[in-house]
Amino acid sequence: MSRGVVRHVVVAVCLVVCAVLCMVAYQLRVGAEFRRAAAEASASASAAGVQVGAPYPADVDHLEEILSIEPGYSLPEGARVVSVGPAVRFEEGFPGGWGYVIAFTAEEQAIRDYAETRAGIVDRTLERSPEVTQYTDGVEDVDLRDVSNPMSTRFGRAVLVLERPLGRGWLVIRRGGR
């Protein structure tokens, strides 16, 4: 081959390599911007009580709709709802996940009846269940710093967290995922 042909081939290969590198860099930049924008949108939506994929905003005004997500979700008789918030930590650890944390107070007997009816927990189990920690699955969105002797149990696809002595509780509803 002549030197001219080799020179043209080398220039053409260099141009193709440069074009491919530019396209890869562009794709990486666009992908990073998209991920950052999605994370910011999700964070600001969660802060406002709205999670991506969740059917309702996490607020007391939508409590009835939230409890109707699955048959059987309810609160103890006479419960007073303290707050309804998004399950932000669950969302962070489970891509596409969403959920609600419903904090409530109720009379001790109402909580005992509820725990037995909904979760099948008898009095003895309520008293003797081991204390849960912030790292227990389903509890990560309940702030346990000011909760005395917390216990948790699952029923259906929900997690019930109770403070002992009985009086306060949290119903954690989690869904979603990709």
Side-chain angles (χ1 to χ4, degrees):
M1 278 203 246
S2 72
R3 283 187 158 186
V5 172
V6 171
R7 203 176 280 155
H8 287 312
V9 169
V10 169
V11 168
V13 168
C14 287
L15 289 174
V16 168
V17 168
C18 285
V20 167
L21 289 175
C22 287
M23 287 189 323
V24 168
Y26 176 76
Q27 291 296 324
L28 289 174
R29 180 174 165 238
V30 167
E33 287 176 5
F34 177 77
R35 285 188 297 278
R36 183 174 36 80
E40 287 174 2
S42 178
S44 65
S46 290
V50 179
Q51 291 177 297
V52 176
Y56 310 105
D59 59 36
V60 176
D61 293 337
H62 291 87
L63 179 62
E64 292 302 319
E65 291 94 341
I66 292 168
L67 290 174
S68 72
I69 288 174
E70 187 167 299
Y73 286 164
S74 65
L75 296 174
E77 189 170 325
R80 292 166 301 286
V81 175
V82 175
S83 66
V84 177
V88 177
R89 290 189 179 121
F90 173 67
E91 178 186 16
E92 290 169 357
F94 193 73
W98 52 268
Y100 303 96
V101 179
I102 304 167
F104 63 89
T105 61
E107 296 297 321
E108 179 180 348
Q109 191 58 50
I111 291 176
R112 287 182 186 282
D113 294 344
Y114 174 78
E116 185 174 349
T117 304
R118 295 291 176 214
I121 299 176
V122 293
D123 283 343
R124 192 172 331 136
T125 306
L126 273 174
E127 303 303 327
R128 295 184 183 164
S129 287
E131 189 170 301
V132 297
T133 68
Q134 198 68 60
Y135 304 104
T136 303
D137 185 39
V139 178
E140 59 271 343
D141 280 294
V142 177
D143 185 0
L144 297 177
R145 289 179 291 189
D146 295 325
V147 178
S148 67
N149 196 14
M151 61 90 54
S152 73
T153 188
R154 292 183 180 280
F155 69 96
R157 295 195 299 174
V159 176
L160 176 63
V161 180
L162 297 174
E163 177 177 50
R164 296 174 289 193
L166 299 175
R168 291 195 301 170
W170 296 262
L171 179 62
V172 182
I173 299 170
R174 305 184 313 173
R175 294 284 182 285
R178 292 183 182 127

